[in-house]
Amino acid sequence: MASAAPLCHHPPVLKRVDLPPLTRRAHSSEWRGLWIRVAFAFGLIFLAFALLWLDRDGLRDNIDGHLSFSDILYFTMITVTTVGYGDIVPVTDRARLVDAFLITPIRVFLWLIFLGTAFDFLFKRGWEKLRMKNIQRGLRGHIVLAGFGHSGRKALEELVASGADIKNVVVIDCEEEAIQAARAAGAATIRGDASRDEILAAVHIERAASMVVSSGRDDSSILIVLTARHLARSFG
């Protein structure tokens, strides 16, 4: 056992709270969702500008009495952001109805987009981390896949083909690229050395239904298996 080289080289982890967290692929791309929302927001602003531009005769500029392109653009921005200075105001019934029934819904949708984006990037991430911690604590009857190289990926494909639920598989690997690939496949992941006690303890090896070792080296594979057996007996 002493001659087996560890899979990863990093400082020892002494506290359970310092262990790498369990992660899983998000249901959708956060950045893709962000750009869609930005595009939608600009589309709504453009629609508001078009409505105000077409109905500009119903507006009055209290500064110089003349409404230019920049004035309408300015009025659009302060209107959709609910900021009103009173320098440009609707004076006809039609202009007021446009503001009440067309511009106001646009304003509301824009605020919903902004609040939804803030929720996703501030609150949802924190909630996802908490959710994954709860999943990690409750791991039971899962499959641990140690190593996600070429053979590890083939092993995952065979597991899924045989009926295993991808969400019930936890992949351990040292390399971030391998972790990203496993996460993209839909498995839960944890980055670290599968031959280390604390990493196997973090995936609750004692409660796993089975373990597949694919480290790429015989000595490391033997060390992982012996460590897993030792921990399973210790916790059991």
Side-chain angles (χ1 to χ4, degrees):
M1 285 179 58
S3 61
L7 299 181
C8 303
H9 300 282
H10 47 70
V13 181
L14 299 178
K15 298 180 180 180
R16 177 64 61 86
V17 294
D18 294 330
L19 292 175
L22 198 69
T23 56
R24 182 173 284 158
R25 178 186 60 184
H27 294 296
S28 61
S29 171
E30 292 182 350
W31 286 108
R32 180 175 178 272
L34 174 63
W35 286 115
I36 291 175
R37 292 178 186 181
V38 169
F40 191 55
F42 274 106
L44 289 175
I45 292 173
F46 177 80
L47 177 60
F49 171 81
L51 291 170
L52 293 172
W53 176 259
L54 293 174
D55 195 47
R56 61 188 181 280
D57 292 338
L59 304 176
R60 182 174 65 195
D61 189 337
N62 291 321
I63 304 301
D64 58 11
H66 173 68
L67 287 169
S68 63
F69 177 88
S70 60
D71 289 330
I72 299 300
L73 181 60
Y74 158 77
F75 183 62
T76 300
M77 299 309 297
I78 65 171
T79 299
V80 298
T81 56
T82 69
V83 178
Y85 297 111
D87 48 352
I88 301 176
V89 294
V91 293
T92 66
D93 289 340
R94 187 178 69 177
R96 289 169 179 166
L97 288 174
V98 168
D99 183 78
F101 293 105
L102 297 178
I103 303 299
T104 296
I106 291 174
R107 183 186 302 125
V108 171
F109 276 119
L110 282 171
W111 278 107
L112 289 176
I113 290 172
F114 295 148
L115 291 175
T117 302
F119 171 79
D120 279 346
F121 278 82
L122 296 178
F123 302 106
K124 192 175 179 180
R125 286 185 177 184
W127 170 254
E128 181 65 14
K129 289 180 180 179
L130 179 61
R131 188 179 74 88
M132 290 310 299
K133 285 183 179 179
N134 289 333
I135 291 176
Q136 187 170 3
R137 284 195 295 265
L139 284 174
R140 186 177 298 276
H142 53 293
I143 302 171
V144 176
L145 176 54
F148 203 66
H150 177 74
S151 58
R153 300 183 191 199
K154 289 295 183 181
L156 182 61
E157 292 176 3
E158 292 180 7
L159 285 170
V160 173
S162 65
D165 186 354
I166 188 68
K167 294 182 179 180
N168 204 36
V169 178
V170 180
V171 173
I172 305 173
D173 201 282
C174 308
E175 302 297 330
E176 181 61 26
E177 182 180 354
I179 289 295
Q180 293 290 348
R183 191 179 301 147
T189 62
I190 188 167
R191 186 178 180 184
D193 186 345
S195 66
R196 298 173 67 94
D197 290 8
E198 59 270 19
I199 296 298
L200 291 178
V203 299
H204 294 290
I205 192 64
E206 76 282 1
R207 300 203 298 251
S210 58
M211 181 179 189
V212 179
V213 179
S214 177
S215 68
R217 292 182 51 170
D218 292 340
D219 55 352
S220 297
S221 297
I222 294 172
L223 180 58
I224 293 170
V225 171
L226 292 177
T227 304
R229 286 180 176 176
H230 170 72
L231 287 175
R233 286 196 299 266
S234 298
F235 283 104

